[in-house]
Amino acid sequence: MDSTPSSPSSSPFDLVSSALGRYVPGGGPAAAAGREDARAQRAPGGPAPEDPVADRQDQILGVVNLDRELRITRSNLDAAVFAGLDAAPGRPFAELLPPGDVPTVTRRLRQVLEIGEAHVARIQRLRRGDGSELVVSMSILPAAAPQEGLTVSLIAMARRLHLYAAETAIGTSLDIGETAQSLAESLLAWGDVAAVDLDFAVWTGEGVTERAKGRIRLRRAALVPDRAWPEGYVTPGGDLPNDASRLLAQAVRRNDAPQAIVIPDRESVERLLGSPRVIRALVPGDRSASVACIPLVLDGEPPVVLGVAEVWRRADRPFHDSDLFDLQELVARTAHHVDLARQHQREHTQVLALQRRLLPRTGGHTIDIASVYQPATPDSAGVGGDWVNSFPLPDGRTALVVGDVVGHGLGAAATMGQLSMEARALLSAGLAPDEVLEHLDETVTLLDDAESGLAAGYSALGSTCCIALYDPVSHQVTLSSAGHLPPVLVLPDGDASPLALRPHPGLGTEFALREPFDVHTFAAPPGSLLALYTDGLVEDPALPIDEGIGRLAEVVSAVHPWDALQQAARHVVSALAPARQRDDVTLLLARMIGYRKGDTATWRLPARDDAPARARAHVKAVLRQWRTRAETRDDVPLLVSELVTNAVRHSSGPVTVRLIRAGHGLLCEVGDTGNGRPRLSAGGLLDDGGRGLHVVHRLTTRWGVRWTDTGKVVWAEVPG
């Protein structure tokens, strides 16, 4: 077959028409007349020419070109199947549509005009001049130049092709609402109104089981076309009245087996439904006369009904047996997609609950915390492994943690939960951020092992994490990162910039490629704002990642010191997050407050025998100044004396004593250059060894140790 290559500047209309020329003879009316002449020359009763391929193709392909006002500029609808469609130039394309479909299709056409992305294989009805309708698969293609408008290609839907295209369209999303909507749009080819009502347990993603008929609860999941509905009629998201749910459930069951039924006329519909309230809820309008109800059945023993699909027709279009067979076949083919969407919804809900459980609740009197977690759009692969956490440490500092686990779904959620809890436990035990990341690195490697991994086929290698510890006394932040994007710091004067961190390959990399985790310490004066986030907030396929981080710094720098931090966090996310997310968006904002200068006291003492006495004298003076309780003025000097004595005995360098007046009481810290860990022995108060720690244990609500670059700090908390 000869063909002429199209030039690069050919419009979609020309390209589609060129393809049509191979199957539909060109020439418009003249060609049509030629075909009629050829038919007339055939002997009466003679067989039709044997060319089944050409005959099939000749019946299903067409193309229409639209301007930017959605008016027809030219068309190629020569195939006989399109007879009766008035596609004259200058006519609005909307006049080819049923009135109820005009808003939805017009919105799709304008969306393609604005965005430039094709909308492919929509099942659509077109209205002929005599009022009859033709079902087509309609694809909307943008023109090569925006000013040229749109090209609409049409494929007339033979029965089998229609069923295949409908099933393909329904299985493209794991969102239960979109799956139900696709099913309803496909069912509309057999009627004027289509609705899908799902068992409430399906809608919420819960397990579906057989239940008493009186307890069934149906929720409307989808309804087409998109138009104004009578008052009282149930629209998507609404629950059907209990009587309506029970009647529908009973109608599609015969001898305890789910079956499709047809109620043939309006009189029968009203007699079956009975109550005017139920009629208003289920009947879509005065013109709707007959309805086909098809159960969505999950195969099993016994079979479980997931919901009911309803297709309504006018009185002049009664249902035939072939219609019911087609509807049953389509619903049977696609019911499993609804169940897959239900399972995805259940997993999505579980992971989302875990995500939100990990979100920080509040800050404290030394730091203000706000966080936003925004999951990916429903048609993505599922909720991801992004997480943030913030919690006070026993020694008065605050931990800020953000991480991004590779992948989506339950495997990522399980790893996320394990890493989050492990990081919290290790930080609470006094480990430094880089030491915590070393442990998380080993954990990710172990989870990837084929035998000990959490989920078969899932790998968390390459996950990232950033840990920051805020000291409210020194107003400094200590930070380590494992391949995570750099936090953004906004100083009180409004200067904002990402922190300069050395690139790191992330958690769980091959042993030969592993690098040490750097520790960064920087000043964060009161009023500073620190933003930790995941890549979904700043990634844009059209922009370098550095520009996305720069935009974040710009938006965060505009947060006023008096702004409510949670509201500011939501504003930052709304300003930066893409409209259609393919990844989770996570943001943690921390506003540094710290302790006032008058609420802390620090002394540096030489490691000599008189150090305990000097420490007691300093502490007593400060406690009198702070006007603490008499009991506190007795207990705290003794506590500090025991800690300093222990430090002098087991280290050689200077001893640092710090007293902090916190909101819940007093925090005492004694630092030294020793590296031994104080342990409470089983001995009593009268034993020579370990007596001091027993005194510490009796006087405090809790105490512990944290490690520093030069030694350790023993901290103890005393009620105020």
Side-chain angles (χ1 to χ4, degrees):
M1 181 181 292
D2 295 334
S3 62
T4 304
S6 60
S7 66
S9 60
S10 296
S11 70
F13 179 89
D14 296 328
L15 295 175
V16 176
S17 293
S18 175
L20 289 176
R22 301 173 185 173
Y23 309 113
V24 182
R35 291 195 296 274
E36 293 299 328
D37 292 342
R39 293 190 186 99
Q41 292 172 7
R42 257 188 262 147
E50 294 292 339
D51 188 1
V53 175
D55 187 60
R56 286 198 305 270
Q57 298 286 3
D58 187 49
Q59 293 183 29
I60 64 173
L61 302 175
V63 61
V64 177
N65 204 75
L66 308 180
D67 61 18
R68 295 190 64 83
E69 300 301 321
L70 306 184
R71 293 182 177 273
I72 299 171
T73 57
R74 49 181 174 161
S75 65
N76 186 342
L77 299 177
D78 290 339
V81 71
F82 296 110
L85 292 179
D86 185 4
R91 192 181 188 203
F93 184 74
E95 294 184 4
L96 294 179
L97 305 171
D101 292 357
V102 171
T104 302
V105 176
T106 301
R107 186 165 60 248
R108 292 289 190 187
L109 292 168
R110 296 204 178 280
Q111 184 179 9
V112 175
L113 270 176
E114 295 171 2
I115 300 177
E117 293 183 1
H119 181 67
V120 180
R122 172 188 173 85
I123 307 301
Q124 180 60 47
R125 295 176 301 162
L126 299 180
R127 190 173 55 171
R128 295 188 176 98
D130 61 1
S132 63
E133 294 181 346
L134 170 69
V135 178
V136 299
S137 172
M138 183 176 75
S139 296
I140 308 169
L141 311 173
Q147 65 272 16
E148 294 181 5
L150 300 170
T151 294
V152 180
S153 71
L154 306 172
I155 302 177
M157 302 297 287
R159 175 179 173 272
R160 305 306 304 177
L161 183 59
H162 191 175
L163 290 172
Y164 171 77
E167 182 186 9
T168 303
I170 293 168
T172 58
S173 174
L174 286 174
D175 177 65
I176 197 163
E178 292 187 7
T179 301
Q181 183 71 18
S182 297
L183 176 57
E185 290 176 355
S186 299
L187 293 173
L188 194 61
W190 282 271
D192 303 302
V193 176
V196 177
D197 301 325
L198 297 179
D199 189 306
F200 188 75
V202 177
W203 180 259
T204 57
E206 300 171 13
V208 184
T209 58
E210 285 291 284
R211 64 192 71 203
K213 295 176 183 177
R215 295 174 54 199
I216 191 169
R217 178 183 175 190
L218 292 176
R219 170 169 290 184
R220 180 135 296 171
L223 175 65
V224 289
D226 182 12
R227 69 184 189 202
W229 298 102
E231 183 179 357
Y233 186 62
V234 180
T235 53
D239 292 339
L240 272 64
N242 291 336
D243 291 345
S245 294
R246 186 169 59 255
L247 283 170
L248 280 178
Q250 292 172 349
V252 297
R253 280 190 173 276
R254 289 291 182 271
N255 300 323
D256 267 348
Q259 298 178 10
I261 65 164
V262 171
I263 307 176
D265 53 58
R266 183 61 176 256
E267 182 181 352
S268 300
V269 168
E270 293 183 355
R271 186 172 62 250
L272 177 65
L273 299 183
S275 162
R277 176 169 173 263
V278 175
I279 293 174
R280 286 196 303 271
L282 291 183
V283 180
D286 294 336
R287 298 182 63 193
S288 300
S290 59
V291 59
C293 300
I294 307 94
L296 284 82
V297 181
L298 184 63
D299 292 334
E301 286 296 336
V304 177
V305 177
L306 304 176
V308 181
E310 302 138 48
V311 180
W312 291 84
R313 281 185 175 180
R314 301 187 302 271
D316 58 350
R317 296 183 62 209
F319 285 99
H320 300 288
D321 288 344
S322 60
D323 296 325
L324 191 59
F325 292 150
D326 290 347
L327 290 170
Q328 286 179 292
E329 183 173 356
L330 175 59
V331 173
R333 286 185 179 189
T334 57
H336 73 281
H337 290 302
V338 175
D339 188 54
L340 286 175
R342 177 197 65 81
Q343 296 176 40
H344 176 75
Q345 176 69 21
R346 184 178 184 179
E347 178 181 311
H348 187 277
T349 303
Q350 291 172 340
V351 176
L352 198 57
L354 176 59
Q355 289 274 18
R356 289 183 170 148
R357 185 175 179 84
L358 293 175
L359 290 177
R361 295 294 182 266
T362 57
H365 56 280
T366 64
I367 190 170
D368 192 8
I369 297 293
S371 61
V372 174
Y373 170 70
Q374 196 164 285
T377 44
D379 60 347
S380 68
V383 178
D386 293 16
W387 51 282
V388 292
N389 206 348
S390 169
F391 47 91
L393 297 178
D395 59 8
R397 298 177 300 166
T398 300
L400 310 171
V401 187
V402 61
D404 189 352
V405 172
V406 172
H408 294 80
L410 287 177
T415 303
M416 170 196 67
Q418 180 158 347
L419 295 182
S420 175
M421 292 299 101
E422 183 176 351
R424 180 164 191 157
L426 294 173
L427 289 168
S428 298
L431 271 67
D434 57 324
E435 295 174 312
V436 174
L437 290 179
E438 288 176 3
H439 285 274
L440 298 186
D441 190 48
E442 290 296 330
T443 298
V444 170
T445 302
L446 288 173
L447 292 178
D448 191 61
D449 183 84
E451 296 181 357
S452 61
L454 283 175
Y458 172 75
S459 173
L461 299 182
S463 300
T464 65
C465 182
C466 181
I467 300 174
L469 300 183
Y470 172 61
D471 188 333
V473 177
S474 65
H475 304 297
Q476 288 188 326
V477 174
T478 303
L479 180 145
S480 287
S481 176
H484 204 80
L485 295 177
V488 171
L489 177 65
V490 184
L491 295 174
D493 61 4
D495 181 45
S497 61
L499 299 174
L501 304 181
R502 185 168 65 91
H504 191 278
L507 300 173
T509 54
E510 294 183 21
F511 184 79
L513 301 177
R514 291 187 183 180
E515 298 181 7
F517 299 101
D518 295 338
V519 179
H520 305 267
T521 301
F522 54 91
S528 300
L529 195 63
L530 187 66
L532 294 92
Y533 54 95
T534 53
D535 52 7
L537 182 63
V538 295
E539 276 190 342
D540 186 335
L543 295 174
I545 189 68
D546 290 343
E547 287 191 28
I549 297 174
R551 289 174 56 212
L552 171 63
E554 181 180 348
V555 175
V556 174
S557 66
V559 176
H560 194 277
W562 294 343
D563 289 346
L565 202 57
Q566 188 62 50
Q567 183 178 351
R570 294 194 190 100
H571 170 72
V572 171
V573 171
S574 64
L576 295 176
R580 194 155 185 82
Q581 296 172 212
R582 293 299 178 185
D583 198 1
D584 294 1
V585 168
T586 308
L587 173 67
L588 174 66
L589 290 183
R591 179 181 282 148
M592 313 307 178
I593 301 173
Y595 288 114
R596 295 176 300 174
K597 193 171 183 179
D599 289 335
T600 65
T602 305
W603 303 277
R604 188 177 177 86
L605 306 172
R608 299 191 311 230
D609 292 341
D610 63 342
R614 294 177 60 186
R616 285 196 301 272
H618 289 308
V619 168
K620 287 179 179 178
V622 169
L623 294 178
R624 285 194 300 271
Q625 183 181 346
W626 287 349
R627 298 180 180 179
T628 58
R629 295 181 299 130
E631 183 181 355
T632 302
R633 289 199 296 269
D634 292 336
D635 292 346
V636 173
L638 176 58
L639 168 66
V640 170
S641 178
E642 293 295 341
L643 292 177
V644 172
T645 299
N646 191 67
V648 171
R649 180 178 299 176
H650 297 287
S651 66
S652 57
V655 177
T656 302
V657 179
R658 187 161 74 174
L659 200 60
I660 303 169
R661 180 168 57 178
H664 52 270
L666 295 177
L667 191 63
C668 307
E669 295 183 353
V670 175
D672 59 55
T673 58
N675 55 13
R677 183 182 184 88
R679 296 184 182 276
L680 189 65
S681 65
L685 287 173
L686 300 179
D687 295 343
D688 291 336
R691 186 185 69 88
L693 288 183
H694 280 278
V695 173
V696 170
H697 190 70
R698 181 175 59 84
L699 295 176
T700 62
T701 55
R702 56 179 179 170
W703 65 276
V705 182
R706 75 169 186 267
W707 307 101
T708 66
D709 292 338
T710 58
K712 68 177 182 297
V713 173
V714 181
W715 56 268
E717 194 175 280
V718 181

